[in-house]
Amino acid sequence: MFYTTVKLSLLAGIALLFVCVFSSAKGPKAEPVSSSKTDSSIDKLIENVPVSRVDADQEFIELLELHNAARTQLYRFESLACKRSRSDAPVLRWNSKLAIAAQKQADWMEKRDTLSHGPSLGVRAKAVNYKFQSIAENIANAYLPADPLFQLWLDSNRHCKNILNPVYREIGIGKNGKYWSVVLANPA
């Protein structure tokens, strides 16, 4: 029942995202997303990076399920970096704005062939009109399926803390080639 509810919620969010991003008659080619024009060079960088793949595929669903399983004690922890006490975090909800911000980061990293948290996560969230109280990001450059990728993050103390932090309520995931971005946030 739990996974059915999560999947239905995720699929509804994906459908809404798909309709918003791919609504042009030209087919599945998305335009850059920006909420407002500013003079900031970082904003201009973000605006000029096309969203190459915003459709949440099976890997995204699996990665969301792994995050939620870890947060609700359904995941078997084998990581030394990520031993946790019993402090159940709430299930993460899919957020299409965070998914766009994550996808833009994955596209930005792929275009430059570099693993980096820049441009600023806060600026990227603002560019898609996402208001937050707190926000974090896990990134990776690995040609891996969701499960081994997730295990890599659990093996890192900082990444694991982001995943299990009960403050975060929403998630967005992006991928381009070997570059992954997962944005976790608590909405304002």
Side-chain angles (χ1 to χ4, degrees):
M1 178 68 177
F2 168 75
Y3 285 111
T4 302
T5 304
V6 170
K7 283 183 182 179
L8 288 175
S9 173
L10 179 60
L11 290 174
I14 293 167
L16 178 61
L17 177 62
F18 187 80
V19 168
C20 291
V21 174
F22 297 116
S23 61
S24 74
K26 296 179 183 178
K29 184 175 180 182
E31 293 297 318
V33 176
S34 176
S35 63
S36 64
K37 300 273 184 182
T38 67
D39 293 330
S40 167
S41 60
I42 293 176
D43 286 345
K44 289 178 183 174
L45 270 176
I46 292 172
E47 289 175 10
N48 293 327
V49 177
V51 177
S52 66
R53 187 175 126 196
V54 182
D55 59 318
D57 62 6
Q58 188 61 35
E59 288 179 309
F60 290 14
I61 294 168
E62 289 174 26
L63 201 50
L64 174 62
E65 288 175 346
L66 288 166
H67 277 79
N68 283 330
R71 292 168 64 90
T72 58
Q73 301 290 325
L74 300 173
Y75 188 86
R76 182 174 165 212
F77 285 89
E78 297 176 3
S79 169
L80 295 176
C82 201
K83 294 289 182 193
R84 66 176 277 188
S85 61
R86 182 103 178 133
S87 60
D88 291 337
V91 170
L92 293 165
R93 296 180 311 266
W94 183 263
N95 182 283
S96 58
K97 290 180 180 181
L98 291 179
I100 292 169
Q103 186 60 51
K104 285 190 153 298
Q105 183 61 19
D107 292 345
W108 186 88
M109 291 187 296
E110 193 278 332
K111 182 177 180 181
R112 289 157 183 79
D113 195 23
T114 186
L115 184 67
S116 170
H117 285 285
S120 163
L121 177 56
V123 170
R124 282 184 278 128
K126 182 180 174 185
V128 295
N129 279 333
Y130 185 84
K131 295 179 173 108
F132 60 91
Q133 293 178 9
S134 55
I135 194 163
E137 176 178 59
N138 287 343
I139 58 174
N141 64 340
Y143 288 110
L144 291 174
D147 198 3
L149 173 70
F150 189 71
Q151 189 60 49
L152 284 176
W153 281 327
L154 291 182
D155 289 339
S156 161
N157 194 38
R158 283 187 185 170
H159 294 100
C160 187
K161 283 182 180 180
N162 285 343
I163 291 167
L164 300 179
N165 189 332
V167 169
Y168 303 129
R169 306 280 195 232
E170 296 182 334
I171 188 171
I173 301 169
K175 180 183 179 190
N176 190 335
K178 66 180 180 177
Y179 292 100
W180 289 85
S181 172
V182 173
V183 178
L184 304 153
N186 184 21

